Amino acid sequence: MAIRAILKPLSKRHLPLYATSISRSASTLVLGEHENGLIKGQSVSAVDAAKCLSEDNPVSMLLAGSGPSLKEAAQHAASCHPSISQVLVADSDKFSYPIAEPWAKLVHMVQQRDGYSHIISASGSFGKNILPRAAALLDVSPITDVIEISGSSQFVRPIYAGNALCTVRYTGANPCMLTIRSTSFPVPPSSAASQSNEAPITQVDLSTLDEDSIGKSRYVKHTSQDAERPDLGSARIVVTGGRGLKSAENFRMIEKLAEKLGAAVGATRAAVDAGFVPNDLQVGQTGKIVAPELYIAFGVSGAIQHLAGMRDSKVIVAVNKDADAPIFQVADYGLVGDLFEVIPELLEKIPEKK
Amino acid sequence: MKIMVAIKRVVDYAVKIRVKPDKTGVETNNVKMSMNPFCEIALEEALRIKESGLASEVVAVSMGPSQCVDTLRTGLAMGADRGIHVEATSVLYSLTVAKILKSLVEVEKPGLLFLGKQAIDDDCNQTGQMVAGLLSWPQATFASKVVLDKEKQVATVDREVDGGLETLSLDLPAVITTDLRLNQPRYATLPNIMKAKSKVIKKYTPQELNVDIKSDLEVIQVTEPPKRKAGVIVSSVDELIDKLKNEAHVI
C-alpha cells in the first residue's frame, strides 16, 4: 500500500479501484502523448494494443507536462478509452517539453513503485525517443513497432523495411516494453465518443524523482510544418508525389487533388531530397508509416524503402509513365500515363467530397 | 575532443532480401553487405566536425562477426582515425550493444557518441537512446543538423520529429543519432582505401568489456509478409474513378 502514500489522489473517488488493480498479474502503463489538451490518437491506439495483451489488464495512462493543457489532457485521458482504469499525471516544468531524460527517469520511477508487467507507447518520434532510454534504465530489451500481439509476451514486428515479419518472445523480467505501430491498432471513432465511465486521475509525487542527468539537455524551439490538411499518419486518404513531379510548383497539383479528396499529402524521399516538400511528409522506412483506406501514388517508382511505409494501405493506386515501375506490383489499380495529364483530369472529374 | 561512432554491417539497402525456408531468419550468405546507411551519415558528421577543427580524433566501433572488420575498414577509408572491433558470433540485441558501447565509452572517454537512428535490418531504433540512458548522457535522436560550440561544450541539434523540427541544446558529453537528412556521406577514394589498411583496429571480446551477451528476447520465427493480390491496370481516368467509386468504394 506504499503507493497510496506516494501518489496523492487528485480526485478523492476511485482510489480502491487502483489499489486492487496493482495486485493483478497483468497491468500496463501507457505513455500518453498529448497536444493542446487532447490525447493523441496514436496513444489511444496504444491503449487498444494493451487490451490485446490479456483480458484482465488494468491500463494506466501516464501523462507528463505542465499547466492547464496538462489538466485538460488528463480529463480527456480519463474518458478517451474504456480500458483506461487510471490516469497518472506528472505535473512539472521539467516536463513542459517531451524531453527524453526526465521522461525516462519518470517512467523508471513509476515502474519501480507500481511494478507494471508492460509499458507501451506508440512508435511515433515521441515513443521511439523515450521508451528505449527508459528500458535501458530498467535493464530490459524493448520491442519496437509491434504490429501484432499474440499473448502477453509474443509479438510480431516488421524487419528489413517490412520485407519480413519477425515473431519475438520476451523472456525477461517485468516490465515488457513495446512501441506499437498505431496503424495496426486502429481505434474505432465511436468508442472514443460514447464514454460514460471516467477513470480516476492521480498526481504522481515527483519529490523522489532522481534528477541525475536531467537538465543536461534543453528545449530550444519547435518549427512545425503547416498542418491544415489531415495528419499524414491518420488520414483516410493519402496522395503522394515522387520525383516524377519534377518541381515544387508541380507538387501543388498534388496538394490541390488532396484538398479535393480531403486527403493528406505524402512524398517519397526523392521528392523531399529534391526540395519539393518538407521532410515530415516523407512516407517510408525512414519517414512515416501510413495505412490509409486509399493511397494514390503519382510519379512514384516504388523503391523498397518507400513501399515499407505504405504497403498496408487498403487500396493502392499508382499513376506512372513507366509501365515497369515496381509500384505497379503492389497497386490495386494502376494507370500507365503522364501524371501531368492525369492529375488535371482527375481534378476535373473527381466528385466533390461530401 | 574525441568522437566515437558506432557502425553496423548490414545487408545492403538495395538488396531484395529473402526469408530462409526454415523461417529462422533472413538469408545473409552470399548477399552483399554494407555499412548501414544511417551509420555512414553518423561517421560523415563526425568527420566533418573533426575537419572543422572541433574534434581531434574519430574512432569507429563495430561489433559482430569477424567480417565487421571490412565495415570498419570502409569507415577508416572514409577518414576515421582508428577502429575498434568487438568480436561476437551470437546475435547482439540493442541492450547488449548499448552495454558494450558504454564500456567502450568508459575506456575511450569520447566527448560525443554518434550513431545512426536505426539499422535497416532490425529497424529497432533503440541503441542510441539506450546507451545514452546507461551513461546518463543527454540524447538527441533523429538529428538533421548539429552545431557544436566548443567553448560552452554544448551541441545544438535539430531533430526530425512528427509534425516538424525540434531544436535541443545538449551539454557534452552527449549521444546523437542521425537522420537521413543530416548530410551526404562521402565516398572513400582509392588512396584513402590503401591508407586505411595501415590504420589500427583494436579487438575486444564482450567478456573483456565485462558485458554478458545473454538476451531477454528470443526470435520464434521470421516469415514473409502477406502478398498483395495482383491489381489491374486501367486504361483511363474515367475507368479509374469508376473503379474507386463503385468497386473499391473509397471515394
Side-chain angles (χ1 to χ4, degrees):
Chain A
M1 285 305 102
I3 289 113
R4 269 202 200 208
I6 296 160
L7 299 166
K8 289 182 291 194
L10 177 77
S11 90
K12 281 174 225 104
R13 59 213 170 99
H14 301 301
L15 200 67
L17 176 78
Y18 175 66
T20 54
S21 70
I22 53 160
S23 59
R24 301 266 167 73
S25 52
S27 58
T28 301
L29 184 70
V30 171
L31 311 187
E33 197 182 355
H34 58 96
E35 193 176 56
N36 304 325
L38 290 173
I39 303 299
K40 287 197 179 171
Q42 43 184 345
S43 297
V44 183
S45 287
V47 177
D48 232 50
K51 249 177 29 186
C52 308
L53 291 166
S54 91
E55 280 183 21
D56 189 15
N57 179 13
V59 178
S60 303
M61 181 175 272
L62 176 62
L63 298 178
S66 60
S69 78
L70 176 67
K71 221 171 214 173
E72 277 172 47
Q75 297 291 347
H76 182 222
S79 60
C80 72
H81 195 291
S83 295
I84 296 179
S85 61
Q86 115 165 297
V87 179
L88 298 175
V89 175
D91 189 342
S92 160
D93 291 347
K94 294 186 190 75
F95 300 113
S96 300
Y97 305 102
I99 291 176
E101 291 88 272
W103 249 104
K105 289 280 182 188
L106 173 68
V107 173
H108 180 251
M109 185 187 86
V110 170
Q111 172 61 22
Q112 293 225 308
R113 286 168 184 178
D114 300 2
Y116 293 96
S117 64
H118 295 79
I119 299 180
I120 304 185
S121 83
S123 58
S125 59
F126 167 87
K128 281 185 174 165
N129 187 39
I130 290 165
L131 191 120
R133 186 177 177 111
L137 300 183
L138 292 160
D139 195 25
V140 302
S141 287
I143 304 163
T144 302
D145 238 357
V146 167
I147 58 169
E148 196 184 312
I149 295 175
S150 19
S152 62
S153 60
Q154 196 160 312
F155 313 98
V156 180
R157 58 179 302 266
I159 54 174
Y160 288 91
N163 289 298
L165 299 179
C166 180
T167 306
V168 285
R169 182 183 295 144
Y170 180 71
T171 57
N174 283 353
C176 171
M177 298 181 75
L178 325 166
T179 65
I180 59 102
R181 185 174 284 191
S182 48
T183 51
S184 300
F185 299 92
V187 180
S190 56
S191 79
S194 59
Q195 279 305 302
S196 53
N197 64 318
E198 277 217 355
I201 299 170
T202 316
Q203 295 284 333
V204 179
D205 176 6
L206 298 172
S207 62
T208 57
L209 188 69
D210 172 12
E211 303 216 358
D212 177 38
S213 90
I214 297 180
K216 287 184 190 169
S217 68
R218 292 158 299 276
Y219 173 89
V220 179
K221 65 171 190 221
H222 182 94
T223 324
S224 61
Q225 309 290 357
D226 161 49
E228 275 181 14
R229 277 182 293 272
D231 175 53
L232 184 55
S234 55
R236 204 181 68 82
I237 302 177
V238 174
V239 184
T240 291
R243 202 199 306 266
L245 264 299
K246 294 205 176 94
S247 75
E249 264 106 77
N250 292 337
F251 218 90
R252 300 238 175 83
M253 295 196 305
I254 296 278
E255 289 166 6
K256 258 191 220 152
L257 186 62
E259 217 163 284
K260 192 146 187 200
L261 289 163
V265 172
T268 65
R269 186 185 168 198
V272 171
D273 282 350
F276 301 169
V277 285
N279 52 39
D280 63 331
L281 296 189
Q282 185 182 328
V283 172
Q285 184 181 19
T286 64
K288 293 240 170 53
I289 311 284
V290 301
E293 283 178 36
L294 174 60
Y295 189 90
I296 316 180
F298 292 99
V300 172
S301 65
I304 300 171
Q305 292 79 13
H306 183 72
L307 298 184
M310 45 65 83
R311 63 191 306 151
D312 293 328
S313 306
K314 289 212 182 65
V315 176
I316 297 173
V317 173
V319 177
N320 205 307
K321 268 198 298 203
D322 176 8
D324 296 325
I327 189 84
F328 286 123
Q329 288 162 22
V330 301
D332 300 281
Y333 303 108
L335 179 55
V336 180
D338 186 350
L339 62 91
F340 293 103
E341 290 164 18
V342 173
I343 298 179
E345 198 178 339
L346 275 170
L347 272 170
E348 193 183 308
K349 291 179 175 168
I350 275 180
E352 283 298 329
K353 63 172 164 143
K354 294 129 233 164
Chain B
M1 181 180 75
K2 197 189 283 184
I3 301 180
M4 187 183 274
V5 185
I7 59 180
K8 184 176 182 182
R9 175 179 175 266
V10 298
V11 172
D12 188 86
Y13 75 94
V15 169
K16 176 134 181 50
I17 56 120
R18 277 183 305 129
V19 171
K20 288 182 190 169
D22 65 0
K23 297 185 177 176
T24 55
V26 164
E27 192 58 68
T28 53
N29 286 331
N30 301 317
V31 170
K32 187 184 177 199
M33 306 291 279
S34 306
M35 193 190 299
N36 179 42
F38 292 101
C39 301
E40 284 187 2
I41 293 165
L43 181 55
E44 174 67 34
E45 195 64 17
L47 295 172
R48 289 186 190 187
I49 290 172
K50 187 191 163 197
E51 284 158 4
S52 66
L54 295 168
S56 53
E57 192 184 26
V58 174
V59 184
V61 177
S62 192
M63 43 201 89
S66 54
Q67 297 95 315
C68 289
V69 169
D70 302 339
T71 312
L72 280 170
R73 288 280 171 220
T74 308
L76 297 174
M78 280 172 72
D81 296 288
R82 58 192 170 86
I84 295 175
H85 176 218
V86 181
E87 185 144 19
T89 46
S90 51
V91 182
L92 298 177
Y93 291 94
S94 308
L95 183 58
T96 313
V97 174
K99 285 178 179 174
I100 293 173
L101 280 172
K102 177 182 186 255
S103 295
L104 290 173
V105 162
E106 281 160 1
V107 175
E108 294 282 341
K109 303 200 166 29
L112 258 178
L113 174 59
F114 270 109
L115 301 92
K117 79 163 179 181
Q118 75 189 63
I120 59 162
D121 52 359
D122 61 29
D123 282 333
C124 276
N125 197 330
Q126 299 170 345
T127 307
Q129 296 87 313
M130 296 185 86
V131 69
L134 294 176
L135 288 164
S136 272
W137 284 10
Q139 72 187 48
T141 47
F142 328 141
S144 59
K145 189 180 171 197
V146 176
V147 179
L148 273 191
D149 185 329
K150 206 179 176 185
E151 303 258 295
K152 292 192 196 139
Q153 286 288 297
V154 163
T156 305
V157 183
D158 286 357
R159 304 179 54 227
E160 301 210 349
V161 295
D162 298 343
L165 279 181
E166 179 186 271
T167 309
L168 291 181
S169 136
L170 314 178
D171 293 340
L172 300 186
V175 176
I176 298 175
T177 75
T178 57
D179 217 317
L180 219 47
R181 233 80 50 190
L182 182 59
N183 59 45
Q184 193 67 49
R186 70 194 66 187
Y187 290 104
T189 58
L190 187 59
N192 286 341
I193 294 170
M194 300 312 287
K195 239 190 271 172
K197 291 189 176 166
S198 57
K199 289 182 179 172
V200 179
I201 295 179
K202 188 167 180 183
K203 281 200 186 289
Y204 286 98
T205 62
Q207 290 73 33
E208 283 167 341
L209 297 165
N210 291 318
V211 177
D212 189 0
I213 52 174
K214 70 167 172 44
S215 178
D216 49 7
L217 289 179
E218 187 189 334
V219 171
I220 307 290
Q221 63 169 13
V222 174
T223 54
E224 289 196 23
K227 292 237 179 335
R228 289 189 77 95
K229 63 170 181 13
V232 293
I233 297 289
V234 296
S235 55
S236 68
V237 170
D238 291 314
E239 192 185 343
L240 177 62
I241 292 177
D242 176 65
K243 294 263 190 202
L244 292 178
K245 226 192 286 184
N246 302 320
E247 193 175 276
H249 305 290
V250 284
I251 57 168

